[in-house]
Amino acid sequence: MTNTIGDMEKADVILITGSNTTENHPVISTYIKRAVKFKGAKLIVVDPRRIKIAGFARHWLRSNLGSDVAWINGMMHVIIKENLYDKEFVNARTEGFEQLKAMVEKFTPEYVEEITGIPAQKLTEAARMYAQAKAASIVYCMGITQHISGTDNVKSLANLAMLCGNLGIEGGGVNPLRGQNNVQGACDMGGLPNVFTGYQSVNNADAVKKMEAAWGVSGLSDKPGLKVTEMLPMAHTGEMKALYIIGENPLVSDPDLNHAKKSIEHLDFLVVQDIFLTETAQLADVVLPSACFAEKEGTFSNTERRVQRVRKAVDAPGQAMDDWRITCEIAKRMGYAMDYADAEAIMKEIASVTPSYAGITYERIDYEGIHWPCPAADHPGTPILHTAQFPIGKGKFHAIDYIPPAESTDKEYPMYLTTGRVLYHYHTKTMTGKTEGLNERSPGSFVEISFKDATAYGLRDGDTVEIASRRGTITSAVKVSGMAVSGTVFIPFHFIEGAANMLTNAALDPVSGIPEYKVCAVRLAKAA
Amino acid sequence: MDTQNLIVINGNEFTFTPGETILQVARRNSIPIPTLCHLKKANPTGQCRICVVEVEGARSLVASCAAPAGPNMVVRTETPAVVEARRLVLQLMLSSGNHNCAARVSDDNEWSRFQLEVNRYDKTDALCPVWGDCELQHLAYQYQVSAERFPKTEVPYEMEDVNPFIVRDFSRCIKCGRCVQACNDVQVNNAISFGYRGTDTKIVAAEDKALKDSDCVFCGECVQVCPVGALVEKNARYDVRPWECEKVRTTCSYCGVGCQLWLHVKEGKVVKVSGVEDVAPNYGSLCVKGRFGFDFIHSPERLTDPLIKENGKFRKATWDEALNLVARKLGDIKEKNGGDSIGVLTSARVSNEENYIANKFTRAVLKTNNIDHCARL
């Protein structure tokens, strides 16, 4: 997030897209709902489902799956045509405006309506509302990124925010909501194939030299590594021989599960380190038991870049150990000593090699976390990014054209499927599934379908239905719901029985490597 | 100093910022004023009147939670009239419903002794589940109030425990309305409200349905703010008394919001979770997963030993065995096929420190940049 969570209550307009906020980030949704109910903020929701937060919105724009670039370009078309953009910001802080203007020229509200299904008039009104706000915040989540055009979608939202001068100000910003407790931290800490900690590029010779000196090694690779979505196919072809998987369960979370399982079975050696014997761990050659969050010291970095403490409350069961201790033990046995007294000693090393974490110490974040970048011990942290300039100097507009999703409906697969999560479960359910009450509230897979579609297929609430895509078939229970819009069904991906990812498409965004979980074509039939 | 914004409380001058209430100024300066209905994150309702103070020139006592501080205002927080008014409020509350914290059948003199005796009856249904952790009980003790003054009135509503998380005991409800504000003004779930006016007042969900059949999403904000034993976590009810627990502060391990939690630990087990008030990003609020979804920590399905697969079956191994095997295998593959034939998936679930170590191991030991995690998934 460029801005903070608390900042949302200072926005005049909030635009939520591709985020089912009340179910996936319930506490953030409280900020948005309070902004609307008590602070007079106006809410625009653009989402293919009539999600709960749409009930708080002035405008709910129902977009066809995967049509985001079109509606965002359409909004910018209206804003430029009606001269509502922030000329001062565009002139002083950005470049590439003319190319953007030329690109969005053809995205008239009428043309956008054809692609997205959003009525031209509603798009125009929402565009005006966003542009005329003093401060407008954009909030998005996986509904934006999990597309073959995910990177384009994100860049388009950044275009929109820059066009209206909504960056670097209170109540503004482009705010992706991170789905997992420390996904921000995993990225910050070099858990990515192309960067060391703090996004220092592996093909930057200075960064390589710095790390070699700090770690006392030579010959670090300067070739970007493979993304998770590339590793599995390479396992299939035999180029990838071994995987060391820490706290991940790709066998439920990966797209096209049949294929993922075969790929993993091709490996010569699989090590899985986890707190449970997950579906993935069951395929491992060696399983290493680790401690969970309540059993260890450390830090997580949240979605607003706030580095916060994690503290040990109870002992880990049996012989389970902290993940870092296990990894260090393997390193030692491979001839490289990694000795740390405790987690705090590791943080000191992180701070010494990571400019954006240089000022973070356990002492400073004992009571309240600090937002990185925090480059020095006396630096207060950075709640709002880009207040004076962008890291690259001027903000670059990207002129982006619309491309349709990888898969579309046809005679054989006439319905669209989109996937996501529900309030009561989390990701692959390894944690939430252990709480009876959560299972009672959300016992199993379901397919959410509109009343009209249900009637057309002769389906009633609770019926068992067979759903097939070009990759697999599952059965699930029918849930007739006002959240669904005719022509599109929704299935949560938590459940191994009736797993949505047996159906989803593994087509990837070419830049981010994120699969298109949010769009595929399916057919439904009442199970015999 | 701007004399316009001075207020006198109990004989001492304090500055205030316009818009601040008397209560806020007092609390900021560590002057205790009791409250029951007051909820910091919402607008004051002045419902319970326990926070009344004397303001010079005012015709009657003033609810300090709602009254703004004014220039040269002279306030007294603990005069005989104030104390008498607070005692009356408490007497009325104690006489309505089931407040068996020992206050109801004893007179002032026996209060302490009775409390000690009642301790022996802990663990029974007869004793309130929040005994010893109740704001009403605490105030009754502080103001030495019994329930004798008014005849006891019964509450006609049955206890509700048909959902997995929250027990609603209407007989212990003092109708302060904190839960209603927590639900409508803080979480904005709009699931509960006041119903059946007058002496029949009840906090209702929808048209007086069970919580599970209403718009309730079980965030538990209402439980966290309830000052008495009317709303209690089902899994902690009677089993968890605050003095048996150690509280450890940490960060929630579900989504990326990073809510600050108290883990309540009893005999080496996490038995309850509550939100940390007064600190970002959540200021006490949580969701159903963060508050109630902690059973996985002590699940019998947790992995407790390293496992090595032999002939398609896992067997338990020692750490040395397992670690040596992993190191040897990875070392062999690296030597034979190069570091780039090995991949590491680190985790968006583990700590920064652990991700850093995985990153260092991958690059410095395996000599590859094949490291990623499931941010993309």
Side-chain angles (χ1 to χ4, degrees):
Chain A
M1 288 168 61
T2 60
N3 289 52
T4 69
I5 295 168
D7 212 49
M8 287 181 193
E9 280 191 277
K10 295 173 185 152
D12 303 298
V13 167
I14 301 171
L15 167 62
I16 301 179
T17 182
S19 156
N20 183 5
T21 327
T22 58
E23 301 209 47
N24 293 330
H25 297 89
V27 172
I28 285 185
S29 82
T30 70
Y31 281 84
I32 295 167
K33 291 184 285 185
R34 285 196 301 268
V36 171
K37 189 169 173 182
F38 301 110
K39 309 265 165 86
K42 294 175 205 145
L43 177 65
I44 302 165
V45 173
V46 188
D47 202 283
R49 296 167 70 210
R50 196 183 292 101
I51 49 176
K52 200 166 182 184
I53 199 115
F56 289 79
R58 294 282 181 100
H59 294 295
W60 168 52
L61 308 185
R62 198 280 167 179
S63 53
N64 292 333
L65 300 182
S67 67
D68 301 285
V69 166
W71 68 257
I72 301 165
N73 278 351
M75 277 198 179
M76 292 193 285
H77 173 98
V78 172
I79 290 165
I80 293 171
K81 198 171 138 208
E82 299 191 3
N83 223 359
L84 298 172
Y85 64 100
D86 187 336
K87 285 164 213 81
E88 208 176 304
F89 189 93
V90 167
N91 287 335
R93 304 255 334 245
T94 69
E95 58 192 26
F97 175 71
E98 288 308 322
Q99 291 92 313
L100 177 80
K101 190 176 166 186
M103 172 57 74
V104 303
E105 179 63 36
K106 69 174 176 189
F107 286 87
T108 62
E110 292 70 28
Y111 174 57
V112 171
E113 179 170 344
E114 276 172 41
I115 301 170
T116 66
I118 299 169
Q121 185 57 32
K122 287 202 87 167
L123 183 85
T124 305
E125 283 169 26
R128 288 176 187 149
M129 184 178 278
Y130 178 83
Q132 287 168 343
K134 235 193 298 180
S137 173
I138 295 176
V139 175
Y140 73 87
C141 196
M142 295 306 216
I144 281 293
T145 53
Q146 289 177 342
H147 291 282
I148 55 160
S149 58
T151 307
D152 287 350
N153 293 346
V154 172
K155 284 180 178 168
S156 297
L157 289 174
N159 283 344
L160 178 61
M162 287 197 295
L163 185 65
C164 297
N166 275 321
L167 284 169
I169 57 167
E170 267 195 350
V174 178
N175 298 302
L177 307 182
R178 311 303 308 249
Q180 307 193 57
N181 59 324
N182 202 31
V183 63
Q184 182 68 55
C187 296
D188 299 346
M189 291 299 108
L192 292 171
N194 56 337
V195 287
F196 298 115
T197 61
Y199 308 94
Q200 305 171 84
S201 182
V202 296
N203 47 28
N204 173 337
D206 290 339
V208 170
K209 229 181 269 166
K210 180 168 90 175
M211 293 300 170
E212 285 180 344
W215 294 343
V217 295
S218 59
L220 289 185
S221 168
D222 59 0
K223 185 182 82 171
L226 298 170
K227 301 174 184 117
V228 52
T229 40
E230 294 163 339
M231 286 183 202
L232 291 185
M234 304 240 330
H236 202 80
T237 58
E239 291 158 88
M240 180 64 60
K241 302 287 184 199
L243 276 181
Y244 173 25
I245 301 181
I246 303 170
E248 300 265 294
N249 191 12
L251 268 203
V252 180
S253 59
D254 257 40
D256 194 357
L257 288 182
N258 288 328
H259 189 261
K261 183 161 187 236
K262 280 190 202 125
S263 301
I264 284 184
E265 285 168 347
H266 262 257
L267 289 167
D268 288 353
F269 190 60
L270 174 65
V271 191
V272 174
Q273 182 170 309
D274 210 309
I275 63 174
F276 289 109
L277 194 64
T278 60
E279 290 78 7
T280 308
Q282 286 170 30
L283 297 182
D285 296 292
V286 180
V287 177
L288 306 173
S290 59
C292 81
F293 85 111
E295 296 151 0
K296 62 193 176 193
E297 300 286 328
T299 57
F300 294 154
S301 298
N302 80 349
T303 188
E304 51 172 1
R305 297 167 284 104
R306 193 194 287 273
V307 187
Q308 306 192 105
R309 282 283 277 122
V310 175
R311 295 182 184 84
K312 181 179 158 93
V314 293
D315 289 330
Q319 304 188 60
M321 280 204 292
D322 288 4
D323 288 281
W324 67 266
R325 284 188 200 275
I326 302 173
T327 311
C328 287
E329 284 294 327
I330 299 171
K332 191 168 87 185
R333 287 165 162 81
M334 291 179 74
Y336 179 74
M338 285 168 76
D339 288 321
Y340 298 91
D342 49 26
E344 190 171 7
I346 302 172
M347 182 48 86
K348 282 186 183 143
E349 184 171 314
I350 293 168
S352 73
V353 298
T354 314
S356 54
Y357 277 67
I360 305 274
T361 64
Y362 278 17
E363 198 187 345
R364 287 191 71 193
I365 60 171
D366 187 51
Y367 179 70
E368 193 159 73
I370 294 176
H371 303 272
W372 67 258
C374 177
D378 58 353
H379 189 282
T382 312
I384 302 178
L385 295 178
H386 319 312
T387 48
Q389 64 166 27
F390 296 101
I392 52 165
K394 290 210 170 188
K396 193 169 162 34
F397 282 115
H398 294 269
I400 294 167
D401 205 350
Y402 163 75
I403 51 163
E407 190 167 276
S408 51
T409 53
D410 58 15
K411 245 188 181 159
E412 207 182 338
Y413 298 97
M415 299 277 279
Y416 278 109
L417 166 70
T418 192
T419 65
R421 308 203 300 219
V422 302
L423 173 66
Y424 295 101
H425 282 302
Y426 183 78
H427 221 63
T428 60
K429 213 165 65 69
T430 41
M431 289 158 63
T432 49
K434 305 297 184 291
T435 293
E436 267 176 56
L438 295 173
N439 289 331
E440 186 181 323
R441 295 297 296 170
S442 175
S445 179
F446 61 85
V447 51
E448 176 192 282
I449 185 169
S450 75
F451 182 75
K452 199 173 139 196
D453 287 340
T455 311
Y457 281 90
L459 296 169
R460 282 195 303 190
D461 224 27
D463 281 354
T464 304
V465 67
E466 204 176 82
I467 309 117
S469 77
R470 294 183 173 95
R471 290 153 297 276
T473 306
I474 62 168
T475 55
S476 189
V478 168
K479 184 175 176 185
V480 181
S481 167
M483 276 164 78
V485 172
S486 298
T488 304
V489 296
F490 165 86
I491 303 176
F493 72 83
H494 307 293
F495 305 96
I496 192 80
E497 302 284 330
N501 285 332
M502 299 293 282
L503 307 173
T504 47
N505 190 356
L508 304 182
D509 177 288
V511 181
S512 69
I514 296 178
E516 191 153 62
Y517 287 117
K518 298 300 185 194
V519 197
C520 73
V522 295
R523 63 163 180 255
L524 300 183
K526 196 166 173 173
Chain B
M1 191 183 286
D2 188 357
T3 52
Q4 284 296 302
N5 292 338
L6 279 181
I7 180 172
V8 178
I9 306 179
N10 298 343
N12 295 310
E13 281 188 348
F14 301 101
T15 56
F16 66 89
T17 43
E20 250 187 318
T21 62
I22 298 172
L23 178 70
Q24 284 168 331
V25 181
R27 291 230 162 132
R28 201 157 42 70
N29 293 289
S30 306
I31 299 164
I33 297 177
T35 53
L36 282 172
C37 70
H38 180 67
L39 187 62
K40 227 184 278 176
K41 291 189 278 187
N43 289 326
T45 59
Q47 184 101 8
C48 76
R49 308 257 331 146
I50 197 78
C51 70
V52 290
V53 293
E54 215 172 86
V55 175
E56 242 173 50
R59 273 182 304 175
S60 55
L61 296 178
V62 168
S64 64
C65 70
N72 304 316
M73 200 179 237
V74 178
V75 177
R76 291 183 188 86
T77 65
E78 210 75 31
T79 65
V82 166
V83 169
E84 207 32 59
R86 289 181 189 161
R87 285 169 59 93
L88 179 62
V89 167
L90 292 168
Q91 280 159 340
L92 284 165
M93 284 177 175
L94 289 168
S95 69
S96 162
N98 180 21
H99 300 286
N100 65 350
C101 46
R104 60 162 303 103
V105 290
S106 62
D107 68 27
D108 291 7
N109 297 329
E110 290 173 345
W111 224 94
S112 300
R113 188 165 57 82
F114 200 95
Q115 279 222 23
L116 289 172
E117 276 179 14
V118 122
N119 201 5
R120 288 189 285 129
Y121 300 98
D122 200 356
K123 272 270 178 197
T124 73
D125 257 356
L127 190 72
C128 180
V130 297
W131 190 91
D133 187 25
C134 172
E135 293 176 43
L136 177 66
Q137 182 190 29
H138 173 77
L139 289 171
Y141 186 72
Q142 183 186 341
Y143 287 94
Q144 292 289 299
V145 177
S146 79
E148 307 261 87
R149 183 159 166 199
F150 301 104
K152 182 182 174 179
T153 53
E154 294 292 338
V155 172
Y157 306 116
E158 291 266 317
M159 190 165 87
E160 179 194 320
D161 66 349
V162 289
N163 71 74
F165 304 118
I166 299 171
V167 176
R168 303 166 83 197
D169 183 347
F170 301 98
S171 75
R172 304 188 199 274
C173 175
I174 55 170
K175 288 123 189 162
C176 68
R178 264 197 213 175
C179 56
V180 174
Q181 284 204 296
C183 188
N184 292 273
D185 300 350
V186 179
Q187 286 268 351
V188 203
N189 288 323
N190 305 332
I192 55 173
S193 59
F194 280 99
Y196 309 104
R197 297 286 151 167
T199 50
D200 289 338
T201 296
K202 179 191 183 188
I203 308 301
V204 296
E207 291 86 38
D208 201 8
K209 290 182 186 163
L211 285 181
K212 70 177 178 66
D213 303 318
S214 74
D215 285 339
C216 175
V217 290
F218 298 98
C219 67
E221 186 99 16
C222 56
V223 178
Q224 178 147 336
V225 301
C226 180
V228 292
L231 296 168
V232 178
E233 295 92 348
K234 195 172 192 175
N235 57 11
R237 201 165 180 262
Y238 289 114
D239 289 334
V240 179
R241 301 287 185 178
W243 55 88
E244 302 169 330
C245 291
E246 185 200 350
K247 283 194 333 185
V248 178
R249 193 180 140 183
T250 192
T251 302
C252 183
S253 71
Y254 282 109
C255 80
V257 178
C259 291
Q260 295 299 292
L261 307 177
W262 290 115
L263 299 180
H264 301 241
V265 180
K266 179 181 166 182
E267 291 156 9
K269 293 239 154 52
V270 177
V271 291
K272 174 177 153 169
V273 171
S274 59
V276 181
E277 307 272 354
D278 298 323
V279 63
N282 53 310
Y283 297 95
S285 294
L286 295 174
C287 78
V288 61
K289 295 182 283 286
R291 192 181 299 274
F292 296 110
F294 58 83
D295 296 273
F296 74 91
I297 299 171
H298 303 296
S299 162
E301 292 172 42
R302 281 287 300 276
L303 287 168
T304 53
D305 297 273
L307 303 174
I308 293 175
K309 198 178 267 169
E310 281 173 356
N311 306 320
K313 279 203 177 124
F314 283 120
R315 67 160 177 89
K316 287 185 181 178
T318 65
W319 271 117
D320 264 335
E321 254 183 300
L323 292 167
N324 286 336
L325 177 61
V326 171
R328 198 182 72 233
K329 281 280 194 178
L330 293 181
D332 288 350
I333 291 169
K334 182 187 159 196
E335 194 155 311
K336 201 168 137 210
N337 304 95
D340 286 342
S341 67
I342 305 174
V344 176
L345 292 188
T346 186
S347 177
R349 320 287 298 130
V350 305
S351 70
N352 285 326
E353 291 76 1
E354 289 163 334
N355 275 296
Y356 175 78
I357 291 297
N359 141 76
K360 183 171 172 177
F361 172 75
T362 308
R363 302 184 205 276
V365 181
L366 299 180
K367 295 282 169 62
T368 177
N369 288 316
N370 289 343
I371 180 168
D372 201 2
H373 64 281
C374 72
R376 301 167 204 277
L377 307 179

